[in-house]
Amino acid sequence: MLPSRPQPPQRLPAVFSPYPSTDAPGLRGADLDRASERRGDADWVAGLRPQADWLPIWRYRCAIDEGQPQRLRWAELAAEPERAIFLGLRPDDGRAVFCFDASHDNDLGERLRFADLRGAVPVLETADAALLAYARAMVYWQRQHRHCGRCGGATQPRQAGHVLHCPACEVEHYPRSDPSMLCLARDPQDRALLGRQPQWPESLYSVLAGFAEPGETIEDCVAREIWEEARVRIHGTRYVASQPWPFPASVLLGFHAQAQADTPQVEQDELADARWFSREELAEGLSARRLHVPPPFTLSFLLLARWYDEAAPAPLLSLLPGPGR
Ligand SMILES: [Zn+2]
């Protein structure tokens, strides 16, 4: 069974982050016992199916209606899904939850409302958003691995959909999450380094981000990304929080870093702009709606808010327009 979730202790030494943190970003905390040790028991998994909740994913979109994930029952499925994925058991009533790729079911595509998960997060309960993030990530991984990356043979699901086996060369493929770093760098004046990608709206700024490359540590990756994107040198990173990010297959790791007093430059890389923002500049821009930051469910926002709220008269969240923000 799912162990009861620990409550954050009142006091912890400064090197530890409380778990779960009280301002954790969204897309985490699915209320589910993953029962990973029982996935290999095919009879047990098959026995769960008739009473289970079924979450369809249609072309990477999730079935959501009036702020609720749409759960289908066994009798509503046109046929048994070929590659059903067991997600886990609900801790309240033990009911199993499965997801499946419904992309070829045009009837279902018309009958249900399918929405982009990123846009729907603000209207979903936190646990529901996390469940759909898990489902979307699993369906994406299965779709991307229908053929073996080693020999090209067709793969077959095992372990209730959590392993894809290649019968031709006996390789097993497992779900992957690509680590991606987000970092809020702070200069000696305690200003925050924020950047804007060229395809974003002109008023939107966020912390800098990049993928870890083979052969480097997470700390190396953070320093390299900030140097490559903004020509700013950092000398120290501190881990803050993480977030699953199934768009399409990442886990985001969030940091604060101490930076040198370098002037940001962006000509050498992909950013359209990068600047130091004081708390006052950020507050003025957000209040006047000429500046925007990522929504509160994102790790980017959490990194920004943790910095801003250290020394501001009101929380960063209070500067955003509501509801839904
Ligand atoms: Zn193979």
Side-chain angles (χ1 to χ4, degrees):
M1 287 302 293
L2 189 69
S4 60
R5 187 160 293 158
Q7 293 303 306
Q10 293 301 306
R11 296 180 70 81
L12 273 175
V15 290
F16 294 109
S17 298
Y19 175 80
S21 97
T22 49
D23 60 350
L27 299 177
R28 48 164 282 176
D31 206 7
L32 210 62
D33 172 5
R34 295 194 179 210
S36 52
E37 72 284 358
R38 304 197 72 179
R39 288 173 192 154
D41 185 342
D43 291 339
W44 180 76
V45 174
L48 296 170
R49 293 175 167 222
Q51 299 302 323
D53 286 340
W54 292 81
L55 302 175
I57 304 291
W58 190 78
R59 299 176 192 177
Y60 305 131
R61 296 165 79 85
C62 301
I64 298 166
D65 195 18
E66 297 189 353
Q68 300 269 335
Q70 294 294 282
R71 297 172 162 89
L72 299 180
R73 305 314 304 272
W74 181 257
E76 295 175 279
L77 303 178
E80 181 170 343
E82 240 179 72
R83 293 190 163 209
I85 302 166
F86 168 65
L87 297 179
L89 304 171
R90 295 197 331 205
D92 52 350
D93 58 6
R95 188 192 294 278
V97 183
F98 286 80
C99 67
F100 64 102
D101 183 10
S103 299
H104 302 295
D105 189 337
N106 291 330
D107 178 53
L108 207 57
E110 287 177 14
R111 190 152 58 85
L112 300 179
R113 293 182 180 187
F114 287 89
D116 175 65
L117 180 56
R118 259 178 295 197
V121 170
V123 303
L124 289 164
E125 294 287 336
T126 303
D128 288 339
L131 178 63
L132 292 177
Y134 176 23
R136 187 190 194 280
M138 288 301 297
V139 167
Y140 176 84
W141 167 72
Q142 276 209 355
R143 279 182 66 93
Q144 296 295 310
H145 291 81
R146 287 187 225 180
H147 293 91
C148 174
R150 187 187 193 194
C151 78
T155 58
Q156 293 176 354
R158 284 184 174 175
Q159 294 277 331
H162 290 256
V163 172
L164 289 174
H165 173 249
C166 173
C169 76
E170 293 294 337
V171 158
E172 290 191 327
H173 301 273
Y174 294 88
R176 307 292 294 265
S177 291
D178 300 326
S180 179
M181 294 342 117
L182 302 186
C183 182
L184 182 137
R186 312 159 68 140
D187 78 352
Q189 299 177 51
D190 203 20
R191 295 180 300 176
L193 178 63
L194 302 180
R196 185 175 73 74
Q197 295 185 15
Q199 68 271 27
W200 290 358
E202 288 217 349
S203 60
L204 179 61
Y205 280 77
S206 184
V207 303
L208 305 195
F211 284 101
E213 293 187 351
E216 68 181 355
T217 65
I218 299 302
E219 296 85 346
D220 289 342
C221 169
V222 171
R224 175 180 58 75
E225 284 292 344
I226 292 181
W227 172 254
E228 284 180 1
E229 293 187 356
R231 287 290 185 260
V232 168
R233 292 162 293 174
I234 62 168
H235 52 88
T237 53
R238 182 168 62 83
Y239 172 74
V240 177
S242 65
Q243 180 177 42
W245 193 251
F247 309 108
S250 288
V251 56
L252 308 182
L253 307 178
F255 296 85
H256 279 186
Q258 205 59 52
Q260 301 194 26
D262 294 324
T263 302
Q265 301 169 38
V266 296
E267 296 75 24
Q268 70 286 348
D269 204 51
E270 71 256 29
L271 287 184
D273 190 21
R275 286 190 234 164
W276 295 110
F277 284 85
S278 68
R279 290 180 176 82
E280 293 72 25
E281 286 169 322
L282 190 65
E284 281 175 23
L286 289 172
S287 299
R289 308 281 179 259
R290 57 185 161 70
L291 187 63
H292 295 87
V293 293
F297 76 88
T298 61
L299 181 60
S300 308
F301 183 86
L302 179 137
L303 294 171
L304 202 50
R306 287 274 181 97
W307 159 78
Y308 182 86
D309 294 354
E310 280 177 18
L316 184 64
L317 191 61
S318 68
L319 298 175
L320 302 191
R325 296 197 153 95

